Amino acid sequence: MAENATGNWIAVDNFRLYLIGHVDAAAVLAELNRIVIEAEGLQGNMMSATATSALQNAITIAKGMTTETAEADIQNAMKGLQEAITLAQQSIAEYAALNEKIKEVEASYDESKEGATDLKTELDKAKLLLTNAEATSEQLAEEILFLDKALLAFNLANATEGTVPTVTATNHYVATGATQALMRATTSSTNILERGVCWSKEHNPTVLDNRSTKSFSLKGTIFHIQGLEPATVYYLRPYAMTKNYQVAYGDEVKIVTHPQGTCRGTWDEGAPDEAANARCRTAIQQTIDYFNEWTGIRGFTLSGHYGSDTPTADCSYGGWMRIGPNAGNQAIGTVLHETGHGV
């Protein structure tokens, strides 16, 4: 018992562990049977054929365990059953997500409106996939995106009158990486549903192409575009959309993404504890990811080493780096700065 303890965790030192008993086979089997009941409760839900088969096989194996079964076999049966439950729960969630999206689209569907035929076609396609136990996780996720796009097209085709938004400024200087870009733009309107940037490999992109609403503020609004292909020409346009589905676009801006960099990094695992090694390892990987994304530099290797007497960190030309014991410097900010001396 811990007196005056708060929270869910407590740290102790200088203690001993004593064996006060052994869990017998009957107790282990009771726990296994409890998990079997949990697994059986998942059966009957829509899930993939793979998940259904794995769950049934694991239940069958678990039910075959007895007090005469070797403890290792019981433990393996329990592990296999828990893994099958996790797989089933994931699959059930994926089908449920598609089902929820179908309900959302059906709530907006109106056969008398413009574009109803196209929306109905996508709905029928989604409903068919919902009953297909052979559908992959990728297909289910992709269909949700298709439904989103079809619903947006339907709403745009039936936009109602209201204040038309405006994009008052488009900054033509776009920061580009290999798969990302950052674009400044200013919009003005009331009743805004969303604002962002749309893009395509063709001229005059619209919100029915690719779009991103992710942004942050730094002396204005900067939109973050992700999912681009390296060394590729794209056309971008900022936009603003009202809740009436009126859309306004800003100027089109052409960008060319960088080639992907081929930098790599290593860490010598020389720190005195795993927490420090993990921090340094992560900082180096994040730095390498940054260089590969935003610089296109090829062939550079950052070789990280622990320096017990290093105050912060340092890096020589060519990429040989030392990182000191201060945890605050075992982070991307310090490593990224010092790497600049090594490139």
Side-chain angles (χ1 to χ4, degrees):
M1 178 185 297
E3 295 184 1
N4 301 318
T6 60
N8 298 321
W9 298 91
I10 185 169
V12 296
D13 62 5
N14 193 26
F15 65 93
R16 295 180 180 179
L17 296 176
Y18 296 91
L19 178 64
I20 59 175
H22 184 74
V23 178
D24 60 21
V28 176
L29 281 176
E31 175 62 13
L32 181 59
N33 289 333
R34 183 195 67 77
I35 300 174
V36 166
I37 294 172
E38 177 186 349
E40 289 178 328
L42 297 175
Q43 292 180 307
N45 288 288
M46 186 61 200
M47 69 183 86
S48 70
T50 300
T52 298
S53 177
L55 190 64
Q56 182 56 59
N57 289 340
I59 289 173
T60 300
I61 291 172
K63 285 185 171 182
M65 300 295 106
T66 69
T67 54
E68 303 301 319
T69 304
E71 183 177 336
D73 290 338
I74 296 175
Q75 294 292 346
N76 286 335
M78 185 177 295
K79 179 182 177 182
L81 185 57
Q82 290 170 330
E83 290 174 348
I85 287 173
T86 299
L87 179 63
Q89 289 172 331
Q90 178 182 341
S91 183
I92 290 169
E94 290 168 349
Y95 279 92
L98 177 57
N99 189 41
E100 287 303 310
K101 180 58 64 174
I102 288 172
K103 291 179 181 178
E104 176 189 335
V105 174
E106 284 181 325
S108 298
Y109 174 74
D110 185 335
E111 64 179 5
S112 66
K113 290 186 176 181
E114 187 75 22
T117 300
D118 291 339
L119 185 58
K120 180 67 162 54
T121 298
E122 196 62 51
L123 266 172
D124 290 343
K125 176 184 164 190
K127 290 177 180 179
L128 187 62
L129 188 65
L130 188 63
T131 63
N132 181 5
E134 301 298 331
T136 65
S137 298
E138 292 74 17
Q139 288 173 322
L140 294 170
E142 187 178 53
E143 185 55 39
I144 290 175
L145 295 178
F146 288 154
L147 282 172
D148 274 331
K149 185 174 181 178
L151 180 58
L152 177 59
F154 178 75
N155 287 330
L156 291 173
N158 295 281
T160 57
E161 293 184 0
T163 303
V164 178
T166 56
V167 178
T168 57
T170 302
N171 193 318
H172 288 236
Y173 295 96
V174 178
T176 57
T179 65
Q180 303 176 55
L182 299 171
M183 183 182 198
R184 284 187 179 274
T186 305
T187 61
S188 177
S189 182
T190 57
N191 199 34
I192 286 290
L193 175 64
E194 66 177 53
R195 49 172 63 87
V197 173
C198 57
W199 70 92
S200 173
K201 294 178 182 178
E202 306 296 331
H203 285 286
N204 299 316
T206 74
V207 291
L208 291 176
D209 293 306
N210 305 286
R211 76 186 197 276
S212 172
T213 59
K214 184 178 180 180
S215 68
F216 58 92
S217 295
L218 182 63
K219 297 182 179 180
T221 302
I222 300 176
F223 293 100
H224 188 191
I225 303 155
Q226 296 174 287
L228 305 176
E229 297 175 16
T232 303
V233 175
Y234 286 97
Y235 299 93
L236 282 57
R237 286 203 295 178
Y239 72 90
M241 185 191 312
T242 67
K243 295 176 182 178
N244 305 90
Y245 291 95
Q246 298 277 357
V247 184
Y249 295 95
D251 297 339
E252 179 182 274
V253 179
K254 175 183 176 181
I255 68 167
V256 182
T257 53
H258 290 300
Q260 191 92 45
T262 60
C263 302
R264 58 184 296 270
T266 63
W267 173 246
D268 68 358
E269 305 297 327
D273 57 78
E274 174 53 27
N277 278 319
R279 285 192 296 269
C280 294
R281 192 187 316 124
T282 298
I284 286 177
Q285 186 57 56
Q286 289 175 333
T287 297
I288 292 303
D289 290 344
Y290 183 94
F291 270 76
N292 285 336
E293 174 59 42
W294 293 103
T295 72
I297 292 174
R298 305 179 70 82
F300 172 76
T301 297
L302 179 61
S303 178
H305 306 271
Y306 183 72
S308 59
D309 298 326
T310 304
T312 55
D314 54 42
C315 187
S316 61
Y317 181 72
W320 202 91
M321 175 177 286
R322 295 182 302 178
I323 303 177
N326 189 312
N329 293 316
Q330 297 167 349
I332 183 174
T334 302
V335 174
L336 186 63
H337 169 81
E338 296 298 338
T339 303
H341 302 300
V343 174

